[in-house]
Amino acid sequence: MKAEASPLGEFELIRRFFMRDAKPRGVGDDSGVILGIGDDAAVLALPPGTELIAAVDTIVAGRHFPLSTDARSIGHRALAVNLSDLAAMGATPAWATLALTLPSADAAWLTRFSAGLLELADEYGVALVGGDTTEGPLTVSVQVLGHVPRGMALRRDGARDGDLLAVTGTLGDAGAGLAFTTAPPTVKSGPASPDVAALVQRFDYPTPRVRFGLAARGIASAAMDLSDGLLGDLPKLARACGLAAHVAVQRLPLSDAMRAAVSVGQAREWALAAGDDYELLLAVAPARFADLETAAARLNLRLTAVGELHDGSGVTWSLDGRDFLPVTHGYEHFSQASTQITV
Amino acid sequence: MKAEASPLGEFELIRRFFMRDAKPRGVGDDSGVILGIGDDAAVLALPPGTELIAAVDTIVAGRHFPLSTDARSIGHRALAVNLSDLAAMGATPAWATLALTLPSADAAWLTRFSAGLLELADEYGVALVGGDTTEGPLTVSVQVLGHVPRGMALRRDGARDGDLLAVTGTLGDAGAGLAFTTAPPTVKSGPASPDVAALVQRFDYPTPRVRFGLAARGIASAAMDLSDGLLGDLPKLARACGLAAHVAVQRLPLSDAMRAAVSVGQAREWALAAGDDYELLLAVAPARFADLETAAARLNLRLTAVGELHDGSGVTWSLDGRDFLPVTHGYEHFSQASTQITV
């Protein structure tokens, strides 16, 4: 299907916003990029002795971020959610391709979008090696490619009976940030405090735990990233390992900003059920937990043991030593309530 | 952002339609798939001595195919357009990831969509190793990964002064098929003939020229696939090579179906300007053209010399020895007339 040629065509769009100095951003001598944007496909050299790690994640306006979101945050998020998948595999990020569907080629929007995406790409040494732009409702699909030394990928299914469950950082902040962004401040009145601003920042600019994923390789027995909330994601890890999981809810790490902004009960609800934290959930043998803690401390990253895995199936929760039955669920697409964003 | 859990959640959707027997379709002992769908990312083993080839292409309902298109054709197209990019690099296809945005999880639609995609994947030995489903307007983004022996990729920029320009197959058929699908049959009256049905089939089920791309490696000096029409794509090849291109329009290969269905003038217009053919455009040194012809003949594929490259820049056209100035343009997204599908 065709239409008339344009003043700012697809090729020009890619060149103008995503290439620099005739080669893609992030392409250095050791980038492995033999041929980047501009041919039918990219040609890439994988380091010797490694396996390729590939992930794809799509974000859709109004589904994964509010329609009002700054384009810089959208660009950051599109890559961050994918780097988070590489982090969960213990992989070194290397390359990304971008499939961008947008309603119109708005230069101001694209400037901010590409800045958000490329700043994060630079931080993690990711070269953007391919892209595709199409017209339509705003949808951003990024595929990331990385590598691990042969046989060293952190899988979901490696945990054993007795392994501890640990999480990086603090949980629920992004969910709280989204709630404060999109809902009237019913929880606390008054103008947005620095605490609320910090929570909103956590939603708008998630930090993929790439460096910790690399450090956890060879120590953790299993890992996944928390994109859909602990309630949604932990059952997947337990199922992959063929084990039962138990979590002590009072141990879930809460940020100072969260504690200052809302009640502990509200904070725990977000820590359990809200998505978008992009922290890592790890399983680790008790004897190796101290090594994992050391690795986290070196990165100034909080690491918290929140439960354990044991023979059996299913996930159970406790609060202060008593059974706890969460009433909310993790995020799933195509749910009955899926047209409605609940916070 | 989260919503209530669903009866047919994302994980179940992927498992049900895109996995078979607990492992992805197409995964054999030699697939290189160490870990497929179901973890945070796929783990893949690249054959020794090869370089990785990565491409991404997105198709959007109403932009790249009519809204009325059969889901089986959409699934086929989503992978075919990407395999065509690998073909243009002379790459062996290996793996694909799928980012599927769709308005609702309709089982009948998904059954046909996945059949179309997976049949083509099986034909070319492609394993689907990752996926992502989101709710929204129908958008299908596929990323394909393949490989070539080190240094052997067919690039766009390798041609030299005096090289011949050749195309595979016949041109314009898909454009004609789309026209017959979407427009009233003003060109010829009466019910759809077998010829018209053949043209529509060419639009609905494009054949990526993967086998010929492999055969052309080491013979052709440059290659690209024709997705946007010769008028849109040839200038890209000429620019990449830093050469001028000339094409004799009367040489453009037209199918018997096309010749039977419409006038030669109309056929040439589609052969020049219509997209979606997914034939290969190649440059080849005159001394190697016979080798390329032999390679095509072995695959029962037509190969036609249509012009040549020479020092200079720009693209010129002739018809029966006289200058020819095409009035239409190749396909570009975000064009001024882009909300309108012209055929």
Side-chain angles (χ1 to χ4, degrees):
Chain A
M1 305 210 283
K2 70 176 192 62
E4 295 304 299
S6 72
L8 182 61
E10 181 177 357
F11 187 84
E12 174 59 22
L13 196 70
I14 293 170
R15 200 196 59 71
R16 178 161 157 198
F17 291 102
F18 297 106
M19 295 175 81
R20 184 171 284 187
D21 301 325
K23 66 178 182 179
R25 281 280 292 271
V27 176
D29 288 344
D30 59 350
S31 70
V33 178
I34 296 165
L35 190 61
I37 291 173
D39 211 300
D40 292 278
V43 183
L44 308 165
L46 206 64
T50 62
E51 287 162 352
L52 178 67
I53 309 291
V56 61
D57 248 323
T58 304
I59 59 174
V60 178
R63 295 285 307 154
H64 299 90
F65 53 88
L67 295 171
S68 61
T69 303
D70 180 2
R72 188 164 160 264
S73 162
I74 299 170
H76 177 101
R77 172 179 303 278
L79 182 58
V81 301
N82 279 283
L83 290 179
S84 181
D85 282 325
L86 290 194
M89 304 301 288
T92 304
W95 312 296
T97 60
L98 166 69
L100 178 60
T101 304
L102 66 170
S104 64
D106 176 310
W109 190 94
L110 278 163
T111 299
R112 293 193 65 74
F113 174 84
S114 63
L117 192 149
L118 293 175
E119 276 164 22
L120 190 65
D122 284 352
E123 183 179 345
Y124 290 99
V126 174
L128 188 67
V129 297
D132 179 58
T133 53
T134 48
E135 188 179 342
L138 182 57
T139 306
V140 191
S141 185
V142 168
Q143 184 200 40
V144 284
L145 300 168
H147 44 78
V148 293
R150 199 171 289 143
M152 290 292 285
L154 271 176
R155 305 165 58 129
R156 283 189 188 176
D157 61 1
R160 276 176 286 187
D161 178 36
D163 280 2
L164 299 178
L165 286 168
V167 295
T168 59
T170 54
L171 301 186
D173 295 337
L178 176 63
F180 281 109
T181 301
T182 56
T186 51
V187 181
K188 281 206 170 182
S189 55
S193 67
D195 296 315
V196 168
L199 296 171
V200 170
Q201 177 78 6
R202 285 269 287 164
F203 178 78
D204 283 342
Y205 294 94
T207 303
R209 299 302 185 189
V210 172
R211 293 180 190 93
F212 184 70
L214 292 172
R217 223 163 53 189
I219 304 175
S221 57
M224 73 179 293
D225 76 325
L226 290 171
S227 54
D228 296 344
L230 199 59
L231 274 177
D233 287 328
L234 179 55
K236 296 174 195 162
L237 185 83
R239 203 182 304 125
C241 295
L243 293 170
H246 180 79
V247 164
V249 173
Q250 76 278 5
R251 290 194 208 154
L252 298 181
L254 304 174
S255 68
D256 292 341
M258 177 82 102
R259 287 180 185 274
V262 300
S263 70
V264 170
Q266 169 72 79
R268 282 185 184 144
E269 208 162 286
W270 280 325
L272 276 168
D276 303 311
D277 277 324
Y278 298 103
E279 297 294 348
L280 294 185
L281 169 66
L282 305 109
V284 58
R288 302 301 308 275
F289 182 68
D291 295 339
L292 207 59
E293 274 189 311
T294 303
R298 277 201 196 108
L299 295 167
N300 274 320
L301 182 64
R302 191 161 162 180
L303 182 79
T304 309
V306 297
E308 61 281 323
L309 293 159
H310 47 83
D311 285 335
S313 66
V315 177
T316 55
W317 310 84
S318 64
L319 180 59
D320 298 329
R322 308 182 65 159
D323 286 348
F324 181 78
L325 297 172
V327 292
T328 49
H329 301 274
Y331 183 82
E332 279 269 3
H333 291 285
F334 298 114
S335 65
Q336 290 175 306
S338 64
T339 51
Q340 188 186 346
I341 295 167
T342 56
V343 290
Chain B
M1 306 211 283
K2 68 176 194 60
E4 294 304 297
S6 74
L8 184 60
E10 182 177 357
F11 188 84
E12 173 60 20
L13 195 74
I14 293 170
R15 200 196 59 72
R16 179 162 157 198
F17 292 101
F18 296 105
M19 295 174 81
R20 183 172 284 187
D21 302 325
K23 65 177 183 180
R25 282 279 292 274
V27 176
D29 287 344
D30 60 350
S31 70
V33 178
I34 296 164
L35 190 61
I37 291 175
D39 211 301
D40 293 278
V43 182
L44 308 166
L46 206 65
T50 62
E51 287 162 352
L52 178 67
I53 309 292
V56 60
D57 247 326
T58 304
I59 58 174
V60 178
R63 295 285 308 153
H64 299 90
F65 52 88
L67 294 171
S68 61
T69 304
D70 180 1
R72 188 164 160 267
S73 162
I74 300 169
H76 177 101
R77 172 179 303 279
L79 183 58
V81 301
N82 279 282
L83 290 179
S84 181
D85 281 326
L86 291 193
M89 304 301 288
T92 304
W95 312 295
T97 61
L98 167 68
L100 178 59
T101 304
L102 67 171
S104 63
D106 176 310
W109 190 94
L110 278 163
T111 299
R112 292 192 66 73
F113 174 85
S114 64
L117 192 150
L118 293 175
E119 276 164 23
L120 190 66
D122 285 352
E123 183 178 345
Y124 290 99
V126 174
L128 188 67
V129 297
D132 179 58
T133 54
T134 49
E135 189 179 340
L138 182 57
T139 307
V140 192
S141 185
V142 168
Q143 301 78 18
V144 283
L145 300 168
H147 45 79
V148 293
R150 198 170 291 141
M152 291 291 285
L154 272 175
R155 305 164 59 129
R156 284 189 187 174
D157 61 1
R160 274 175 288 189
D161 178 38
D163 281 2
L164 299 178
L165 285 168
V167 295
T168 60
T170 53
L171 301 186
D173 295 339
L178 175 64
F180 281 111
T181 300
T182 56
T186 49
V187 181
K188 280 206 168 181
S189 55
S193 68
D195 296 315
V196 168
L199 296 171
V200 170
Q201 176 77 7
R202 285 269 288 165
F203 177 77
D204 283 342
Y205 294 93
T207 302
R209 299 302 185 189
V210 171
R211 292 180 190 91
F212 184 71
L214 292 172
R217 221 162 54 189
I219 304 174
S221 57
M224 71 179 294
D225 76 326
L226 291 170
S227 54
D228 296 344
L230 199 59
L231 273 178
D233 287 328
L234 178 55
K236 296 175 196 161
L237 185 84
R239 203 180 306 125
C241 296
L243 294 169
H246 179 80
V247 164
V249 173
Q250 76 278 5
R251 291 194 206 154
L252 298 181
L254 304 174
S255 68
D256 293 341
M258 177 82 103
R259 286 180 185 277
V262 300
S263 70
V264 169
Q266 169 73 80
R268 283 185 183 143
E269 207 162 286
W270 280 325
L272 276 169
D276 303 312
D277 277 324
Y278 298 103
E279 297 294 349
L280 294 185
L281 169 67
L282 305 109
V284 58
R288 303 300 308 275
F289 183 69
D291 295 338
L292 206 59
E293 273 189 311
T294 304
R298 280 201 193 108
L299 296 167
N300 274 319
L301 182 65
R302 193 162 159 179
L303 183 79
T304 309
V306 297
E308 61 280 324
L309 293 159
H310 46 83
D311 286 333
S313 65
V315 178
T316 56
W317 311 84
S318 63
L319 180 58
D320 299 329
R322 306 183 65 160
D323 284 348
F324 181 78
L325 297 171
V327 291
T328 48
H329 301 274
Y331 183 80
E332 279 269 2
H333 291 285
F334 299 113
S335 64
Q336 289 175 306
S338 64
T339 51
Q340 187 186 348
I341 295 166
T342 56
V343 291

